[in-house]
Amino acid sequence: MKASDLFIAALEAEKVEYIFAVPGEENLDLLESLRTSSIELVLTRHEQGAGFMAATYGRLTGKAGVCLATLGPGATNLTTPAAYAALGAFPLIIITGQKPIKTSKQAQFQIVDVVSLFTPLCKASTQIVNGNRIPSLVREGFRLAQEERPGAVLLELPEDIAEEETIEPVIPPHQRRYAVAGDAALDEAAERIIAAERPLLLIGAGANRRRASKALRKFVSDTGFPFFDTQMGKGVVDEDSELYLGTAALSSDDYVHCAIEKADLIVNIGHDVVEKPPFFMEPDGQTVIHINYKAAEVDQVYFPQLEVIGDIAGSVERLGNRLDGNLQCDRSYYTALHHEIASHISETSDDDRFPMVPQRVVADVRSVMARDDIVALDNGIYKIWFARNYIAHEPGTILLDNALATMGAGLPSAMMAAILTPGRRVLAVCGDGGFMMNSQELETAVRLGLNLVVLILNDAAYGMIRWKQGQLGFPDYGLTFSNPDFVTYAKSYGATGHRVERSADLVSVLNAAFEAGGVHLVDLPVDYSENKKVLIDELGAKVCEL
């Protein structure tokens, strides 16, 4: 068969459902092979949109998402999604085209060394130089992308290789199981936990993969282990629990850090160094047990004294069996702190000021979303408010990027969630700056017939950087802009636009948009003066009663 047909057959063997793409001239053989396949082509309006959607498919399913672009500028536009997948640990296959490699008729027109460009961002970056190599390279690419720690893999298919004949069969995938932690490590972990006076459990990004949630929920329920989580660990264990002590949205000086300072042992499940440190280890400080698929990456603020390496769900289950509910620790301080944190989060959640304050925005969003509905955040200062104040009940229901933390990913991420979960409400929350970076994907969302609401937090500025600028004592300079009329902008794409003009109207506007179906854009003016008041002044003045 033709090599491009073999390539598509290899993708079908991997059970690929979608390819998100902005094709080019160098992809035309592959595009023709795709036309008659079982794989659905999702045409996007920018390569970033394709890459972010594919990476989010990987994040939500555990199977590698696939995106496609041409050579040169098409490929370079996928560097940010590649970094997004690499840092976020989202399985992603990137396919790019290239000019013929056996002969050259256009000199260096549009040619950059794509394979070398992507090498630092990918677990593997390979040019296919013979059609017979396609089955093994595709199978190996998916294996690498999906195994711990997941990430991106690039396969470059030159157009003369795509059109050549080949006789190789596809290589079917096989099931991959992870080893379980050794008995000695589990025994020592159980002994240390039982001996601790105030143990504390941390749930990180790595625990939000491979369906570890069920085992962790049983572990917390059986042991009564007080816990907190990182931004990308939210929802693994239901945060609507007396044992929940908050999310480490800040690296220090938040209420949750009072619990960390009080603890004498921290069991860190799924720690990933790409996230901002949820706490800082110090010499002669707390003992830390590292439970993960892979050994700890040690640095100055993270050097665990014990490591339990293997499948997280299996390790947690076996550790729970050893503890057998034998966690006779002092929870009194943690219980008091839980109520203090709940009280702090509820402050100003019914504030009527307009433009709206972030606490009210988060509270109102939570009230219109069911337990398993999905909120996909872009990146800005509001992400800290959602991390601290939004109670997540299920894994994968609040899509935070606390790794690359790139702007422009929120809308494509929400679109992918809407495709995968058609019966659930999906809300994209974007700052006006981040939204405009990939706002053209509204057309894609409308064309696909998605049910999706996009909430734009409008402060006419790059708010996060403006906050940092003021925090450092610099004058307010260079970070404000003008926006289009978002209601008219939505209409121009065939979506429905709304403008909120009173705080009391946000809930009704969101509910009405969800009930109507289709794509809706909600323009909401926000007031970020609470950033300094709460996140700097109030937290700086708090006292941990230790």
Side-chain angles (χ1 to χ4, degrees):
M1 65 174 68
K2 193 167 70 170
S4 61
D5 292 334
L6 177 60
F7 198 109
I8 295 300
L11 296 181
E12 289 178 318
E14 299 289 342
K15 309 299 183 186
V16 172
E17 298 179 275
Y18 307 97
I19 293 181
F20 305 91
V22 180
E25 177 185 346
E26 290 71 26
N27 306 122
L28 289 178
D29 279 293
L30 195 65
L31 194 65
E32 172 58 19
S33 299
L34 178 62
R35 182 178 64 83
T36 56
S37 77
S38 62
I39 301 171
E40 181 179 345
L41 173 69
V42 178
L43 186 71
T44 62
R45 303 307 301 269
H46 193 282
E47 290 86 355
Q48 274 198 12
F52 289 140
M53 290 184 75
T56 303
Y57 177 93
R59 180 181 192 174
L60 291 174
T61 67
K63 301 184 296 182
V66 181
C67 59
L68 170 73
T70 190
L71 81 172
T76 60
N77 280 342
L78 285 175
T79 54
T80 300
Y84 178 73
L87 270 68
F90 310 141
L92 174 68
I93 299 291
I94 300 168
I95 304 167
T96 56
Q98 188 53 274
K99 295 293 184 184
I101 57 173
K102 297 177 183 178
T103 59
S104 175
K105 297 180 180 180
Q106 293 183 313
Q108 294 299 305
F109 176 65
Q110 284 197 314
I111 293 179
V112 295
D113 187 349
V114 172
V115 171
S116 295
L117 176 67
F118 278 81
T119 295
L121 300 173
C122 293
K123 298 179 78 173
S125 182
T126 305
Q127 182 185 72
I128 300 173
V129 298
N130 187 301
N132 291 335
R133 294 292 314 281
I134 286 172
S136 60
L137 289 175
V138 170
R139 176 78 284 271
E140 180 68 0
F142 275 82
R143 182 189 71 80
L144 284 171
Q146 292 172 174
E147 76 175 6
E148 290 292 333
R149 181 178 180 270
V153 169
L154 177 124
L155 297 173
E156 182 183 74
L157 181 64
E159 59 178 321
D160 56 344
I161 303 301
E163 66 185 13
E164 71 181 20
E165 294 296 314
T166 179
I167 58 172
E168 289 296 309
V170 299
I171 300 175
H174 59 277
Q175 193 169 23
R176 169 75 157 86
R177 296 188 183 276
Y178 287 87
V180 297
D183 288 337
L186 288 165
D187 289 342
E188 184 177 349
E191 290 169 6
R192 292 194 181 213
I193 291 169
I194 291 170
E197 294 182 13
R198 289 177 300 278
L200 186 60
L201 183 68
L202 168 59
I203 300 168
N208 218 346
R209 300 193 293 271
R210 308 285 174 193
R211 306 298 183 260
S213 176
K214 182 178 179 181
L216 269 164
R217 288 178 179 228
K218 185 176 188 305
F219 179 78
V220 169
S221 174
D222 289 350
T223 61
F225 224 124
F227 73 95
F228 70 107
D229 49 31
T230 66
Q231 293 186 41
M232 294 177 72
K234 286 182 72 67
V236 175
V237 176
D238 191 348
E239 294 173 348
D240 187 17
S241 165
E242 290 284 324
L243 298 167
Y244 172 61
L245 296 171
T247 298
L250 305 171
S251 297
S252 60
D253 295 328
D254 203 346
Y255 284 92
V256 67
H257 295 100
C258 297
I260 293 167
E261 292 173 38
K262 190 75 170 177
D264 58 349
L265 172 70
I266 297 176
V267 179
N268 194 351
I269 299 180
H271 177 72
D272 198 320
V273 294
V274 301
E275 289 205 81
K276 287 184 178 181
F279 66 95
F280 299 102
M281 289 186 67
E282 297 178 356
D284 302 320
Q286 304 103 323
T287 296
V288 173
I289 299 174
H290 174 91
I291 300 179
N292 213 329
Y293 299 99
K294 299 179 70 175
E297 294 183 45
V298 173
D299 57 33
Q300 289 182 321
V301 299
Y302 190 66
F303 42 90
Q305 290 87 351
L306 176 63
E307 299 190 44
V308 179
I309 306 304
D311 176 72
I312 286 181
S315 296
V316 167
E317 181 180 354
R318 287 164 175 79
L319 182 59
N321 291 338
R322 282 166 169 79
L323 294 175
D324 194 24
N326 188 20
L327 195 64
Q328 305 301 320
C329 62
D330 180 4
R331 297 182 184 84
S332 58
Y333 180 80
Y334 295 146
T335 300
L337 184 61
H338 166 83
H339 293 295
E340 186 174 355
I341 291 171
S343 175
H344 166 73
I345 287 174
S346 68
E347 290 175 2
T348 65
S349 62
D350 57 355
D351 194 305
D352 285 332
R353 275 179 287 174
F354 194 84
M356 289 183 72
V357 297
Q359 300 96 311
R360 174 72 184 268
V361 174
V362 176
D364 284 1
V365 167
R366 179 65 277 181
S367 73
V368 302
M369 306 299 282
R371 291 177 62 90
D372 62 347
D373 290 339
I374 297 174
V375 174
L377 298 181
D378 205 88
N379 273 277
I381 187 64
Y382 52 88
K383 186 179 74 172
I384 294 177
W385 290 103
F386 271 86
R388 295 177 81 248
N389 291 31
Y390 189 89
I391 299 300
H393 300 290
E394 301 291 339
T397 56
I398 178 160
L399 302 181
L400 284 164
D401 171 20
N402 192 36
L404 184 65
T406 179
M407 299 169 71
L411 174 58
S413 182
M415 289 163 58
M416 188 69 256
I419 292 172
L420 291 172
T421 60
R424 291 150 69 177
R425 289 184 172 187
V426 177
L427 176 71
V429 179
C430 307
D432 44 5
F435 170 74
M436 290 302 295
M437 289 186 178
N438 275 309
S439 63
Q440 71 281 347
E441 299 303 342
L442 277 179
E443 187 279 329
T444 308
V446 171
R447 173 166 34 92
L448 294 175
L450 300 183
N451 294 316
L452 175 67
V453 178
V454 183
L455 178 63
I456 301 176
L457 305 182
N458 189 344
D459 67 334
Y462 293 117
M464 170 70 90
I465 310 307
R466 196 180 189 192
W467 173 56
K468 294 285 188 180
Q469 187 180 58
Q471 193 176 353
L472 293 172
F474 294 130
D476 187 359
Y477 171 74
L479 294 168
T480 59
F481 46 72
S482 297
N483 282 313
D485 180 329
F486 285 122
V487 174
T488 303
Y489 190 74
K491 184 178 179 180
S492 72
Y493 283 110
T496 303
H498 310 263
R499 183 172 294 109
V500 177
E501 296 180 340
R502 300 185 309 153
S503 293
D505 293 340
L506 177 59
V507 169
S508 60
V509 168
L510 291 177
N511 276 324
F514 280 120
E515 289 165 7
V519 179
H520 294 255
L521 201 64
V522 179
D523 180 6
L524 176 67
V526 291
D527 174 9
Y528 283 131
S529 63
E530 290 285 295
N531 293 343
K532 181 178 183 302
K533 174 179 175 290
V534 176
L535 301 180
I536 297 175
D537 296 341
E538 289 185 3
L539 290 184
K542 80 179 191 315
V543 176
C544 294
E545 297 180 0
L546 299 179

